[in-house]
Amino acid sequence: MHTRPARARWHYTYGYGAPAPDSDRGADAQIIADYWKSLGMQVRVVDTPVYVVYASGGPLAGLSFSTAPGDYYIAGTSLCVPGDAADLREQDNG
Protein backbone atom coordinates (compact mmCIF):
# COMPACT_ATOMS: atom_id res chain seq x y z
CA MET A 1 0.00 0.00 0.00
CA HIS A 2 1.35 3.41 -0.99
CA THR A 3 1.03 6.07 1.68
CA ARG A 4 1.63 9.75 1.22
CA PRO A 5 2.54 12.36 3.79
CA ALA A 6 -0.58 13.90 5.33
CA ARG A 7 0.71 17.43 4.75
CA ALA A 8 2.24 17.04 1.28
CA ARG A 9 3.04 20.27 -0.55
CA TRP A 10 4.11 20.96 -4.10
CA HIS A 11 5.08 23.76 -6.45
CA TYR A 12 5.13 24.20 -10.22
CA THR A 13 8.16 25.29 -12.23
CA TYR A 14 7.97 26.47 -15.82
CA GLY A 15 10.48 27.74 -18.34
CA TYR A 16 10.17 29.02 -21.89
CA GLY A 17 12.69 30.25 -24.41
CA ALA A 18 12.14 32.13 -27.65
CA PRO A 19 14.32 33.78 -30.26
CA ALA A 20 15.32 37.22 -29.10
CA PRO A 21 13.84 40.13 -31.04
CA ASP A 22 16.13 42.64 -32.70
CA SER A 23 15.74 45.22 -29.94
CA ASP A 24 17.49 46.86 -27.01
CA ARG A 25 18.07 44.03 -24.51
CA GLY A 26 18.58 46.45 -21.62
CA ALA A 27 15.31 48.24 -22.36
CA ASP A 28 13.48 44.91 -22.63
CA ALA A 29 14.89 43.81 -19.27
CA GLN A 30 13.76 47.11 -17.72
CA ILE A 31 10.22 46.65 -19.06
CA ILE A 32 10.08 43.22 -17.39
CA ALA A 33 11.56 44.58 -14.15
CA ASP A 34 9.05 47.44 -14.01
CA TYR A 35 6.12 45.10 -14.63
CA TRP A 36 7.20 42.65 -11.95
CA LYS A 37 7.67 45.55 -9.50
CA SER A 38 4.08 46.62 -10.28
CA LEU A 39 2.98 43.17 -9.08
CA GLY A 40 4.63 43.81 -5.72
CA MET A 41 7.67 41.66 -6.35
CA GLN A 42 11.20 42.45 -5.19
CA VAL A 43 13.31 42.80 -8.34
CA ARG A 44 17.03 42.75 -9.06
CA VAL A 45 18.59 43.38 -12.49
CA VAL A 46 22.05 42.04 -13.40
CA ASP A 47 23.63 43.49 -16.52
CA THR A 48 26.82 41.48 -17.00
CA PRO A 49 27.54 39.49 -19.04
CA VAL A 50 23.87 39.62 -20.22
CA TYR A 51 20.79 41.28 -18.78
CA VAL A 52 18.99 39.03 -16.31
CA VAL A 53 16.02 40.08 -14.18
CA TYR A 54 15.34 38.17 -10.94
CA ALA A 55 12.18 38.57 -8.89
CA SER A 56 10.70 37.07 -5.74
CA GLY A 57 7.66 37.65 -3.60
CA GLY A 58 4.27 38.74 -4.82
CA PRO A 59 2.21 36.09 -6.61
CA LEU A 60 5.16 33.68 -7.21
CA ALA A 61 8.10 32.20 -5.35
CA GLY A 62 10.50 33.39 -8.01
CA LEU A 63 10.96 34.46 -11.61
CA SER A 64 13.86 35.09 -13.93
CA PHE A 65 14.11 36.65 -17.38
CA SER A 66 17.34 36.35 -19.35
CA THR A 67 18.45 38.09 -22.52
CA ALA A 68 21.06 35.48 -23.35
CA PRO A 69 22.60 35.69 -26.83
CA GLY A 70 20.22 34.24 -29.41
CA ASP A 71 17.32 33.64 -27.02
CA TYR A 72 15.21 35.29 -24.39
CA TYR A 73 14.31 32.91 -21.59
CA ILE A 74 11.78 33.17 -18.78
CA ALA A 75 11.40 30.78 -15.86
CA GLY A 76 9.20 30.82 -12.80
CA THR A 77 8.31 28.82 -9.73
CA SER A 78 4.94 28.97 -8.01
CA LEU A 79 4.43 29.26 -4.29
CA CYS A 80 4.06 25.94 -2.51
CA VAL A 81 0.49 24.76 -2.03
CA PRO A 82 -1.03 21.80 -0.18
CA GLY A 83 -1.55 18.72 -2.27
CA ASP A 84 0.13 15.78 -3.86
CA ALA A 85 1.98 16.43 -7.12
CA ALA A 86 1.45 12.87 -8.40
CA ASP A 87 -2.33 13.16 -7.89
CA LEU A 88 -2.45 16.55 -9.58
CA ARG A 89 -0.41 15.30 -12.57
CA GLU A 90 -2.76 12.34 -12.87
CA GLN A 91 -5.77 14.68 -12.90
CA ASP A 92 -4.15 16.92 -15.54
CA ASN A 93 -3.25 13.98 -17.79
CA GLY A 94 -6.67 12.32 -17.46
Side-chain angles (χ1 to χ4, degrees), residues 8-81:
R9 298 179 63 80
W10 69 282
H11 69 268
Y12 185 78
T13 301
Y14 182 79
Y16 181 78
D22 186 23
S23 61
D24 180 342
R25 293 173 186 272
D28 291 344
Q30 191 59 54
I31 290 168
I32 297 295
D34 290 343
Y35 178 68
W36 289 350
K37 284 178 188 175
S38 78
L39 297 176
M41 302 183 88
Q42 296 174 329
V43 176
R44 177 173 56 100
V45 179
V46 176
D47 62 1
T48 56
V50 297
Y51 288 93
V52 182
V53 183
Y54 298 98
S56 61
L60 297 169
L63 285 171
S64 67
F65 171 75
S66 171
T67 63
D71 285 327
Y72 277 10
Y73 188 77
I74 189 166
T77 301
S78 72
L79 296 170
C80 285
V81 296

